DNA sequence: CTGAAAGCGCTTACAG
DNA sequence: CTGAAAGCGCTTACAG
């Protein structure tokens, strides 16, 4: 309600608002007496500076906008966790908005954020380059996570999908697996495309590829399809953990033993993967998110800083769905 | 960078800033010609209103602060999903902050948010009433989720733990289970306490109770302890799903059949629960969060609105860990 | 229907 | 070391 303003503090301490501002911001040029009186007054009034006014005046909000696609589960929470960690550490706040549905949603969110944030972290693996370029003018400071193509208008950081896929394929080969069935993600998703391409390149002609939509169900469906067709394969590699879980379920239902008959691997390393002993690729999404936000804050602090592009290297995590205990 | 301001638009359209403001806010008292020129100018300049300045001027930010404890996984993402849904629907933005560690963190976050948000949604099942009352003066509009005790300074909404616990116990009884082992959550958590009390009341003297910390590991540990002691029980009820999963794992390792030998139930209904066919209590956290934010926005729109307290009724979800297929 | 002006709560040169 | 004043980008009575 009628929260105290800087004027109230100034009046109570019998000084100018300029002095109050100086004291509260820890500037040096204030006499000890003034400092003392201002601090006392501020305490008495329970004064809390109005961050909105402050940021208007300073043209700096110490807030960054986070635009994320409509995500579920652990992936999402890990992402936010990583950013929150870094935001806390560096004195920033996170203004959040989901990027559901159409790109008009995204534009609306962007408009609503102008003047409230200093920059943006945008994750948009499903947006094409043109849409992105249009919605995000270079004048807006932003760091992109897993954005498609070679966007050069903003810094970006992406998972190195190729390294991850190669590691899995090499691992399966070492185990002597001959024929790997691959369950890909939706083709509208850049990570799905990269993983699929990397797999095709690594596995060669023998590739047995099916497409899912990143859901548990689609993974199960794909496996059932393969089994029904009588396809021969001794390993399954799904483009994400959820589909790998579906595959696991489908194989179990069909009486196939894992990894005895068929080895299974996924991608992402969601917490659930460790619970189910799934061999997978650990993306380290929290760390990736932390880096993205850190990068953005660095750029905000130094506008002359050149844009950069980063690859986040994932690591293979071997568990019992490939090397059964 | 030098983004266009309302002045630039006014100059370009050759009208006053007042007229620009009127047009952009859709006020009626503007001539068609003026409206047209302003809209054209705004379009040409790619003008986006400065939301920060707007909210300072209107003393309304259309943003609500979300203070959540340090949470992992699905619970967290569902919570945010529910709020985001409602925020989107009602034209609000969400300013996010984790409430890690000490209460000083919380106060810092609160200070940082003043002047940027119109109100708060606070989830603090681990804070005691005194701390909460001190950190959250009645002058700050807020809705509490699962707050302890009878805070009457703010509206609140809580899961009806008793109803959930009773449903599970009744279900197990109906199945003929005689002795239910209960794995409780950390006593510092209000939900854990409520569930424990409800269980003790429903199960009576025969109660076999152990305490965990809501983690998978603690659930597994509790079960191992019980089995090692040679305790007799034919059902396990864990205060959350994660511990129930730990119990499942512990039972499996010990060669006990579920639900043949021992029925298992959890609480929360995280997505993982459905994947593993765990009987549990569906809290509907997204819906709860949605209601909380909706309530807050209602209050912001009508300051005279009396504070209210709500119970969110959870529902029993029966799956194969109690009634095996 | 339109504009000049005050005000939202701060910060920051500029004088002194 | 201190204060009066202008300014951040908007909105909104108040006159006309």
């Amino acid at each position: 309600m009628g929260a105290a303003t800087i004027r109230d503090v100034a009046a109570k301490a019998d000084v100018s608002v300029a002095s109050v501002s100086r004291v509260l911001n820890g500037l040096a040029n204030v006499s000890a007496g003034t400092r003392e009186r201002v601090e006392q007054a501020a305490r008495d009034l329970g004064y809390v500076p109005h961050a909105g006014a402050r940021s208007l005046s300073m043209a700096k909000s110490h807030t960054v906008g986070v635009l994320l696609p409509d995500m579920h589960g652990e992936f999402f929470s890990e992402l936010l966790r990583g950013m929150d960690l870094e935001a806390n550490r560096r004195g920033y706040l996170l203004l959040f908005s989901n990027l559901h549905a159409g790109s008009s949603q995204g534009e609306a969110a962007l408009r609503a954020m102008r003047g409230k944030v200093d920059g943006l972290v945008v994750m948009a693996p499903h947006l094409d380059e043109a849409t992105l370029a249009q919605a995000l003018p270079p004048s807006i400071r932003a760091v992109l996570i897993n954005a498609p193509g070679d966007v050069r208008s903003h810094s970006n950081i992406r998972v190195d999908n190729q390294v991850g896929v190669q590691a899995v394929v090499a691992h399966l080969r070492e185990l002597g697996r001959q024929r790997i069935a691959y369950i890909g993600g939706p083709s509208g998703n850049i990570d799905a495309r990269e993983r699929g391409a990397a797999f095709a390149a690594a596995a060669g002609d023998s590739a047995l590829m099916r497409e899912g939509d990143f859901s548990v169900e689609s993974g199960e469906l794909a496996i059932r399809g393969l089994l029904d067709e009588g396809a021969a394969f001794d390993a399954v590699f799904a483009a994400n953990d959820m589909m790998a879980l579906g595959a696991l379920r489908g194989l179990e239902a069909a009486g196939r033993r894992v990894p005895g008959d068929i080895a299974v691997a996924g991608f992402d390393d969601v917490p659930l993967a460790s619970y189910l002993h799934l061999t997978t690729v650990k993306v380290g999404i929290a760390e990736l998110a932390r880096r993205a936000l850190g990068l953005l804050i660095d750029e905000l602090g130094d506008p002359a800083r050149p844009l950069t592009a980063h690859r986040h290297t994932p690591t293979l995590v071997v568990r019992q769905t490939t090397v059964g205990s």
Side-chain angles (χ1 to χ4, degrees), chain A:
Chain A
M1 310 280 96
T5 75
I6 196 173
R7 281 184 133 84
D8 300 324
V9 178
K12 178 136 193 167
D14 201 32
V15 296
S16 70
V17 296
S19 289
V20 175
S21 177
R22 290 187 190 106
V23 170
L24 266 29
N25 288 306
L27 301 198
N29 49 346
V30 189
S31 74
T34 300
R35 179 175 306 279
E36 173 57 28
R37 291 217 309 290
V38 168
E39 281 168 349
Q40 188 59 249
R43 224 175 297 129
D44 291 351
L45 294 169
Y47 173 68
V48 177
H50 188 289
R54 190 154 199 270
S55 67
L56 176 59
S57 173
M58 297 178 55
K60 192 103 177 54
S61 65
H62 281 274
T63 302
V64 334
V66 178
L67 296 180
L68 302 178
D70 206 9
M71 302 187 302
H72 287 258
E74 342 237 26
F75 193 75
F76 173 76
S77 51
E78 285 302 297
L79 201 68
L80 224 55
R81 154 178 307 280
M83 295 215 192
D84 178 65
L85 206 72
E86 187 72 2
N88 244 300
R89 206 168 68 76
R90 311 203 33 185
Y92 273 72
L93 245 27
L94 261 27
L95 192 63
F96 176 78
S97 188
N98 245 4
L99 234 42
H100 323 96
S103 57
S104 70
Q105 274 279 358
E107 278 187 56
L110 254 175
R111 286 181 70 91
M113 283 187 170
R114 130 107 160 133
K116 302 193 145 175
V117 303
D118 297 331
L120 258 31
V121 173
V122 180
M123 166 145 170
H126 61 304
L127 257 46
D128 65 278
E129 217 168 320
T131 309
L132 207 57
Q134 194 221 327
L136 209 62
S139 61
I140 297 181
R141 273 286 173 187
V143 168
L144 270 30
I145 295 181
N146 284 13
D150 328 278
V151 187
R152 301 211 56 81
S153 55
H154 300 274
S155 286
N156 62 73
I157 176 167
R158 345 194 3 181
V159 173
D160 195 329
N161 289 302
Q162 193 178 338
V163 166
V165 168
Q166 285 171 346
V168 170
V169 172
H171 170 63
L172 292 171
R173 289 257 189 273
E174 260 169 45
L175 294 171
R177 303 289 166 166
Q178 305 293 328
R179 193 105 196 274
I180 309 173
Y182 180 80
I183 309 176
S187 60
N189 182 295
I190 176 73
D191 287 311
R193 283 203 306 278
E194 285 194 0
R195 291 171 195 177
F199 177 78
D205 301 335
S206 65
L208 197 59
M209 300 179 70
R210 287 293 178 281
E211 184 171 324
D213 64 5
F214 278 160
S215 72
V216 173
E217 291 69 30
S218 72
E220 188 168 358
L221 222 64
I223 280 299
R224 280 184 203 278
L226 286 166
L227 293 173
D228 287 353
E229 294 167 20
F233 56 97
D234 51 9
V236 175
F237 179 15
N240 79 341
D241 287 345
M242 290 300 138
M243 295 195 298
L245 298 187
L248 239 29
R249 190 184 269 179
L251 290 169
E252 182 192 346
R256 303 303 180 96
R257 296 182 45 208
V258 174
D261 301 328
I262 297 179
V264 175
F267 208 112
D268 285 346
D269 196 32
V270 299
L272 184 42
S274 103
Y275 179 81
L276 294 170
H277 312 301
L278 177 69
T279 288
T280 186
V281 178
K282 180 189 180 68
V283 167
I285 188 67
E287 170 61 15
L288 193 166
R290 203 193 57 62
R291 279 180 69 190
L293 183 59
L295 180 59
L296 176 64
I297 296 178
D298 288 343
E299 290 187 359
L300 292 174
D302 174 13
R305 203 174 195 279
L307 301 181
T308 48
H310 306 253
R311 281 283 175 175
H312 188 75
T313 306
T315 56
L316 179 68
V317 180
V318 176
R319 298 204 184 91
Q320 297 166 29
T321 55
T322 55
V323 295
S325 58

